[in-house]
Amino acid sequence: MKAVVYRGARHLGIEKRDPEAPGHGQVRIEVAYTGICGTDLHIYHGDMDARVGASAIIGHEMSGRIAAVGEDVTGWTVGQAVTVMPTRPCGRCAACRRGLSHVCHKMNFLGIDSPGAMQSSWTVPADLVLPLPADLPLDHAALVEPVAVAVHDVRRGNVTADDQVVVVGGGPVGVLIATVAQGRGARVLLVEPDPVRRAVAGRIGVEAVDPGTTDVVALVNDRTDGAGADVAFEVSGAAPGVATAVDVLTTRGRLVMVAIHPKPREVNLHRFFWRELELLGARLYQRDDMVEAIRLVASGAIPARELISRVEPVEAATAAFTALEGGGVMKVLLDLREDNR
């Protein structure tokens, strides 16, 4: 089987390896598609070398089919379409003991802390596997994991019908948050400088504006009679995005911090005091979020076809990463199907 191997900053290799037979409590999956996300880009840039070792197989957004099961594993059949929830909590830390295993203090995140999905054969614990509808296209199913992120984020923000929501940052996760929030009946404004991403948002029915040419705070105030937005999602990872997300909020508005900021940011704490704002962190997802994400993708509520910009063969992994970091695209997938070589 073929695997994408991280060899150091901006250096990926394609290696042939023997598939790993499933052991106790495991299944082996023939991976069909793997998505590239922002975390994968951080790895590619060398920013996560403290966790990701040399010759590591990365990736965690995926779809595929069961190829083999361990002798003690039941409930799965060869050929069944599946995806993987790539989080392995310790079960013992303070977060796990409180039922918050998705923020485990000692999380084993597959594709970061252990081998990931950018391989055509992937052996994983069976309890991390979720079934997919048989008629769901596997390229669309590769979006389930980022959709689960969006589902969790929207739940953290307690978005309800008629809420005014502002999403700052129109990359894949930002657009998915906007889509999930609209599905709950919210009025959504997406803030994104990239014209290609704004165009994608427009095609799927999400209003998007350019912060370089639009006074976002003034626009939101105009639409809310000066009150401001009920919920803002910061997905840009940039200092101006933080400022916008804070400034658009109404009294007791909720700011959900989604982006991973590489360094501390200045925050207008006086506004938090003055308007009694709330700041909520949103990290990863829970199993219920994955189940809901599968339902949304399968139902067509998530316009997967519009969001997939490119599908590249596994041999073109470096080109796929370069395309994503260059902007002007939404989701980029790697095709790992062995019968497509």
Side-chain angles (χ1 to χ4, degrees):
M1 62 98 174
K2 293 181 180 178
V4 178
V5 176
Y6 173 71
R7 291 179 177 164
R10 307 190 67 82
H11 187 193
L12 301 175
I14 308 299
E15 294 185 5
K16 290 186 176 181
R17 299 187 178 185
D18 293 330
E20 179 185 349
H24 176 79
Q26 294 181 321
V27 299
R28 183 171 69 82
I29 300 171
E30 290 180 350
V31 177
Y33 297 93
T34 302
I36 305 171
C37 80
T39 300
D40 298 319
L41 277 182
H42 284 305
I43 295 171
Y44 179 63
H45 294 152
D47 298 333
M48 299 182 66
D49 285 357
R51 289 177 66 183
V52 181
S55 299
I57 300 173
I58 62 175
H60 56 272
E61 303 178 1
M62 59 77 63
S63 63
R65 297 186 183 277
I66 298 290
V69 299
E71 291 183 4
D72 60 331
V73 174
T74 60
W76 299 105
T77 58
V78 172
Q80 186 174 2
V82 295
T83 190
V84 171
M85 181 171 171
T87 56
R88 193 70 167 164
C90 74
R92 300 179 300 277
C93 71
C96 289
R97 292 197 304 270
R98 294 179 61 193
L100 302 173
S101 59
H102 67 294
V103 287
C104 171
H105 298 176
K106 300 178 181 179
M107 179 72 77
N108 175 357
F109 196 99
L110 280 64
I112 300 176
D113 305 302
S114 57
M118 288 187 187
Q119 52 183 316
S120 52
S121 176
W122 192 24
T123 299
V124 300
D127 61 355
L128 302 185
V129 180
L130 291 93
L132 296 171
D135 59 350
L136 177 60
L138 289 180
D139 55 345
H140 294 190
L143 272 61
V144 163
E145 195 269 355
V147 173
V149 171
V151 169
H152 183 75
D153 296 344
V154 170
R155 284 178 171 168
R156 282 291 284 155
N158 194 27
V159 174
T160 59
D162 294 326
D163 274 352
Q164 177 66 60
V165 171
V166 175
V167 181
V168 182
V173 171
V175 169
L176 289 171
I177 289 171
T179 304
V180 173
Q182 283 193 169
R184 288 193 168 201
R187 294 165 289 144
V188 178
L189 180 69
L190 182 70
V191 180
E192 170 56 45
D194 187 301
V196 174
R197 289 178 166 176
R198 289 201 308 275
V200 171
R203 287 198 299 271
I204 64 174
V206 174
E207 181 185 7
V209 297
D210 181 356
T213 58
T214 301
D215 185 331
V216 176
V217 175
L219 176 61
V220 172
N221 285 338
D222 181 64
R223 292 182 177 183
T224 60
D225 293 327
D230 301 286
V231 189
F233 294 87
E234 205 308 285
V235 202
S236 72
V242 175
T244 297
V246 172
D247 290 346
V248 297
L249 286 171
T250 189
T251 301
R252 288 201 171 179
R254 303 178 295 282
L255 170 57
V256 184
M257 186 57 62
V258 179
I260 300 174
H261 286 259
K263 58 184 179 180
R265 302 294 190 191
E266 288 190 5
V267 179
N268 184 353
L269 293 180
H270 182 269
R271 192 168 182 86
F272 271 81
F273 154 75
W274 198 251
R275 290 202 168 187
E276 290 198 349
L277 304 181
E278 296 181 57
L279 174 61
L280 301 164
R283 176 185 166 202
L284 295 177
Y285 36 74
Q286 297 167 292
R287 194 174 184 90
D288 286 350
D289 299 321
M290 288 286 289
V291 172
E292 174 65 2
I294 292 171
R295 186 191 72 79
L296 290 173
V297 176
S299 71
I302 301 298
R305 190 172 303 281
E306 289 287 346
L307 297 177
I308 298 171
S309 302
R310 293 175 62 167
V311 179
E312 297 287 354
V314 64
E315 292 84 0
T318 297
F321 273 75
T322 301
L324 189 60
E325 70 178 349
V329 297
M330 198 61 72
K331 287 304 298 181
V332 178
L333 306 183
L334 292 179
D335 185 346
L336 288 119
R337 297 172 298 168
E338 285 293 336
D339 60 0
N340 201 35
R341 298 294 127 243

PDB file of all heavy atoms in Angstrom, residues 206-225:
ATOM      1  N   VAL A 206     -24.640  31.291   0.972  1.00  0.00           N
ATOM      2  CA  VAL A 206     -24.138  31.985   2.159  1.00  0.00           C
ATOM      3  C   VAL A 206     -23.663  33.379   1.744  1.00  0.00           C
ATOM      4  O   VAL A 206     -22.799  33.499   0.873  1.00  0.00           O
ATOM      5  CB  VAL A 206     -22.984  31.205   2.818  1.00  0.00           C
ATOM      6  CG1 VAL A 206     -22.382  32.014   3.968  1.00  0.00           C
ATOM      7  CG2 VAL A 206     -23.466  29.851   3.316  1.00  0.00           C
ATOM      8  N   GLU A 207     -24.203  34.409   2.359  1.00  0.00           N
ATOM      9  CA  GLU A 207     -23.775  35.773   2.040  1.00  0.00           C
ATOM     10  C   GLU A 207     -22.372  36.014   2.585  1.00  0.00           C
ATOM     11  O   GLU A 207     -22.093  35.771   3.759  1.00  0.00           O
ATOM     12  CB  GLU A 207     -24.739  36.789   2.645  1.00  0.00           C
ATOM     13  CG  GLU A 207     -24.357  38.223   2.317  1.00  0.00           C
ATOM     14  CD  GLU A 207     -25.222  39.251   3.008  1.00  0.00           C
ATOM     15  OE1 GLU A 207     -26.038  38.861   3.860  1.00  0.00           O
ATOM     16  OE2 GLU A 207     -25.075  40.457   2.697  1.00  0.00           O
ATOM     17  N   ALA A 208     -21.484  36.495   1.726  1.00  0.00           N
ATOM     18  CA  ALA A 208     -20.103  36.742   2.134  1.00  0.00           C
ATOM     19  C   ALA A 208     -19.688  38.135   1.694  1.00  0.00           C
ATOM     20  O   ALA A 208     -20.017  38.579   0.590  1.00  0.00           O
ATOM     21  CB  ALA A 208     -19.172  35.694   1.511  1.00  0.00           C
ATOM     22  N   VAL A 209     -18.933  38.817   2.581  1.00  0.00           N
ATOM     23  CA  VAL A 209     -18.458  40.160   2.276  1.00  0.00           C
ATOM     24  C   VAL A 209     -16.948  40.231   2.462  1.00  0.00           C
ATOM     25  O   VAL A 209     -16.359  39.451   3.211  1.00  0.00           O
ATOM     26  CB  VAL A 209     -19.143  41.223   3.166  1.00  0.00           C
ATOM     27  CG1 VAL A 209     -20.634  41.264   2.896  1.00  0.00           C
ATOM     28  CG2 VAL A 209     -18.850  40.971   4.639  1.00  0.00           C
ATOM     29  N   ASP A 210     -16.355  41.181   1.764  1.00  0.00           N
ATOM     30  CA  ASP A 210     -14.916  41.421   1.825  1.00  0.00           C
ATOM     31  C   ASP A 210     -14.648  42.461   2.920  1.00  0.00           C
ATOM     32  O   ASP A 210     -15.109  43.605   2.812  1.00  0.00           O
ATOM     33  CB  ASP A 210     -14.430  41.929   0.468  1.00  0.00           C
ATOM     34  CG  ASP A 210     -12.933  42.191   0.429  1.00  0.00           C
ATOM     35  OD1 ASP A 210     -12.260  42.048   1.471  1.00  0.00           O
ATOM     36  OD2 ASP A 210     -12.443  42.558  -0.662  1.00  0.00           O
ATOM     37  N   PRO A 211     -13.904  42.110   3.960  1.00  0.00           N
ATOM     38  CA  PRO A 211     -13.637  43.087   5.021  1.00  0.00           C
ATOM     39  C   PRO A 211     -12.770  44.240   4.554  1.00  0.00           C
ATOM     40  O   PRO A 211     -12.696  45.273   5.237  1.00  0.00           O
ATOM     41  CB  PRO A 211     -12.928  42.255   6.094  1.00  0.00           C
ATOM     42  CG  PRO A 211     -12.278  41.135   5.340  1.00  0.00           C
ATOM     43  CD  PRO A 211     -13.242  40.815   4.231  1.00  0.00           C
ATOM     44  N   GLY A 212     -12.119  44.070   3.399  1.00  0.00           N
ATOM     45  CA  GLY A 212     -11.300  45.155   2.874  1.00  0.00           C
ATOM     46  C   GLY A 212     -12.117  46.275   2.262  1.00  0.00           C
ATOM     47  O   GLY A 212     -11.637  47.400   2.128  1.00  0.00           O
ATOM     48  N   THR A 213     -13.361  45.960   1.877  1.00  0.00           N
ATOM     49  CA  THR A 213     -14.199  46.967   1.225  1.00  0.00           C
ATOM     50  C   THR A 213     -15.519  47.202   1.957  1.00  0.00           C
ATOM     51  O   THR A 213     -16.286  48.092   1.556  1.00  0.00           O
ATOM     52  CB  THR A 213     -14.513  46.543  -0.222  1.00  0.00           C
ATOM     53  OG1 THR A 213     -15.177  45.272  -0.209  1.00  0.00           O
ATOM     54  CG2 THR A 213     -13.236  46.430  -1.046  1.00  0.00           C
ATOM     55  N   THR A 214     -15.788  46.415   2.988  1.00  0.00           N
ATOM     56  CA  THR A 214     -17.051  46.534   3.730  1.00  0.00           C
ATOM     57  C   THR A 214     -16.764  46.814   5.199  1.00  0.00           C
ATOM     58  O   THR A 214     -15.932  46.136   5.815  1.00  0.00           O
ATOM     59  CB  THR A 214     -17.866  45.232   3.610  1.00  0.00           C
ATOM     60  OG1 THR A 214     -18.149  44.962   2.240  1.00  0.00           O
ATOM     61  CG2 THR A 214     -19.178  45.334   4.389  1.00  0.00           C
ATOM     62  N   ASP A 215     -17.446  47.792   5.761  1.00  0.00           N
ATOM     63  CA  ASP A 215     -17.392  48.037   7.196  1.00  0.00           C
ATOM     64  C   ASP A 215     -18.333  47.023   7.847  1.00  0.00           C
ATOM     65  O   ASP A 215     -19.549  47.234   7.916  1.00  0.00           O
ATOM     66  CB  ASP A 215     -17.831  49.465   7.502  1.00  0.00           C
ATOM     67  CG  ASP A 215     -17.672  49.830   8.977  1.00  0.00           C
ATOM     68  OD1 ASP A 215     -17.761  48.919   9.829  1.00  0.00           O
ATOM     69  OD2 ASP A 215     -17.483  51.026   9.283  1.00  0.00           O
ATOM     70  N   VAL A 216     -17.758  45.925   8.302  1.00  0.00           N
ATOM     71  CA  VAL A 216     -18.564  44.802   8.783  1.00  0.00           C
ATOM     72  C   VAL A 216     -19.384  45.199  10.005  1.00  0.00           C
ATOM     73  O   VAL A 216     -20.567  44.859  10.112  1.00  0.00           O
ATOM     74  CB  VAL A 216     -17.657  43.593   9.102  1.00  0.00           C
ATOM     75  CG1 VAL A 216     -18.470  42.448   9.702  1.00  0.00           C
ATOM     76  CG2 VAL A 216     -16.928  43.129   7.847  1.00  0.00           C
ATOM     77  N   VAL A 217     -18.770  45.907  10.947  1.00  0.00           N
ATOM     78  CA  VAL A 217     -19.484  46.306  12.161  1.00  0.00           C
ATOM     79  C   VAL A 217     -20.671  47.204  11.812  1.00  0.00           C
ATOM     80  O   VAL A 217     -21.788  47.024  12.325  1.00  0.00           O
ATOM     81  CB  VAL A 217     -18.534  47.004  13.149  1.00  0.00           C
ATOM     82  CG1 VAL A 217     -19.306  47.526  14.358  1.00  0.00           C
ATOM     83  CG2 VAL A 217     -17.436  46.053  13.588  1.00  0.00           C
ATOM     84  N   ALA A 218     -20.450  48.160  10.920  1.00  0.00           N
ATOM     85  CA  ALA A 218     -21.533  49.059  10.524  1.00  0.00           C
ATOM     86  C   ALA A 218     -22.657  48.296   9.838  1.00  0.00           C
ATOM     87  O   ALA A 218     -23.842  48.567  10.063  1.00  0.00           O
ATOM     88  CB  ALA A 218     -20.993  50.155   9.609  1.00  0.00           C
ATOM     89  N   LEU A 219     -22.291  47.326   8.987  1.00  0.00           N
ATOM     90  CA  LEU A 219     -23.295  46.532   8.281  1.00  0.00           C
ATOM     91  C   LEU A 219     -24.144  45.727   9.261  1.00  0.00           C
ATOM     92  O   LEU A 219     -25.379  45.699   9.154  1.00  0.00           O
ATOM     93  CB  LEU A 219     -22.608  45.605   7.283  1.00  0.00           C
ATOM     94  CG  LEU A 219     -23.515  44.633   6.511  1.00  0.00           C
ATOM     95  CD1 LEU A 219     -24.532  45.415   5.677  1.00  0.00           C
ATOM     96  CD2 LEU A 219     -22.673  43.715   5.629  1.00  0.00           C
ATOM     97  N   VAL A 220     -23.493  45.091  10.226  1.00  0.00           N
ATOM     98  CA  VAL A 220     -24.233  44.289  11.206  1.00  0.00           C
ATOM     99  C   VAL A 220     -25.118  45.185  12.066  1.00  0.00           C
ATOM    100  O   VAL A 220     -26.284  44.853  12.341  1.00  0.00           O
ATOM    101  CB  VAL A 220     -23.258  43.466  12.076  1.00  0.00           C
ATOM    102  CG1 VAL A 220     -24.001  42.778  13.216  1.00  0.00           C
ATOM    103  CG2 VAL A 220     -22.527  42.431  11.224  1.00  0.00           C
ATOM    104  N   ASN A 221     -24.589  46.316  12.488  1.00  0.00           N
ATOM    105  CA  ASN A 221     -25.394  47.233  13.289  1.00  0.00           C
ATOM    106  C   ASN A 221     -26.609  47.733  12.512  1.00  0.00           C
ATOM    107  O   ASN A 221     -27.710  47.870  13.064  1.00  0.00           O
ATOM    108  CB  ASN A 221     -24.547  48.414  13.754  1.00  0.00           C
ATOM    109  CG  ASN A 221     -23.603  48.045  14.883  1.00  0.00           C
ATOM    110  OD1 ASN A 221     -23.834  47.067  15.595  1.00  0.00           O
ATOM    111  ND2 ASN A 221     -22.547  48.823  15.040  1.00  0.00           N
ATOM    112  N   ASP A 222     -26.415  47.992  11.232  1.00  0.00           N
ATOM    113  CA  ASP A 222     -27.524  48.459  10.398  1.00  0.00           C
ATOM    114  C   ASP A 222     -28.619  47.401  10.309  1.00  0.00           C
ATOM    115  O   ASP A 222     -29.811  47.719  10.337  1.00  0.00           O
ATOM    116  CB  ASP A 222     -27.006  48.818   9.006  1.00  0.00           C
ATOM    117  CG  ASP A 222     -28.103  49.346   8.091  1.00  0.00           C
ATOM    118  OD1 ASP A 222     -28.665  50.408   8.403  1.00  0.00           O
ATOM    119  OD2 ASP A 222     -28.404  48.669   7.083  1.00  0.00           O
ATOM    120  N   ARG A 223     -28.216  46.140  10.229  1.00  0.00           N
ATOM    121  CA  ARG A 223     -29.200  45.060  10.080  1.00  0.00           C
ATOM    122  C   ARG A 223     -29.854  44.669  11.397  1.00  0.00           C
ATOM    123  O   ARG A 223     -30.847  43.950  11.393  1.00  0.00           O
ATOM    124  CB  ARG A 223     -28.525  43.836   9.461  1.00  0.00           C
ATOM    125  CG  ARG A 223     -28.098  44.065   8.020  1.00  0.00           C
ATOM    126  CD  ARG A 223     -27.485  42.828   7.423  1.00  0.00           C
ATOM    127  NE  ARG A 223     -27.160  43.049   6.021  1.00  0.00           N
ATOM    128  CZ  ARG A 223     -26.650  42.121   5.210  1.00  0.00           C
ATOM    129  NH1 ARG A 223     -26.391  40.899   5.697  1.00  0.00           N
ATOM    130  NH2 ARG A 223     -26.394  42.393   3.957  1.00  0.00           N
ATOM    131  N   THR A 224     -29.297  45.119  12.504  1.00  0.00           N
ATOM    132  CA  THR A 224     -29.830  44.731  13.821  1.00  0.00           C
ATOM    133  C   THR A 224     -30.300  45.941  14.616  1.00  0.00           C
ATOM    134  O   THR A 224     -30.422  45.859  15.845  1.00  0.00           O
ATOM    135  CB  THR A 224     -28.761  43.963  14.619  1.00  0.00           C
ATOM    136  OG1 THR A 224     -27.609  44.806  14.792  1.00  0.00           O
ATOM    137  CG2 THR A 224     -28.357  42.673  13.928  1.00  0.00           C
ATOM    138  N   ASP A 225     -30.561  47.026  13.940  1.00  0.00           N
ATOM    139  CA  ASP A 225     -30.987  48.264  14.610  1.00  0.00           C
ATOM    140  C   ASP A 225     -29.999  48.684  15.692  1.00  0.00           C
ATOM    141  O   ASP A 225     -30.385  49.149  16.771  1.00  0.00           O
ATOM    142  CB  ASP A 225     -32.387  48.100  15.219  1.00  0.00           C
ATOM    143  CG  ASP A 225     -33.468  47.943  14.161  1.00  0.00           C
ATOM    144  OD1 ASP A 225     -33.323  48.544  13.080  1.00  0.00           O
ATOM    145  OD2 ASP A 225     -34.430  47.197  14.414  1.00  0.00           O
TER     146      ASP A 225
END
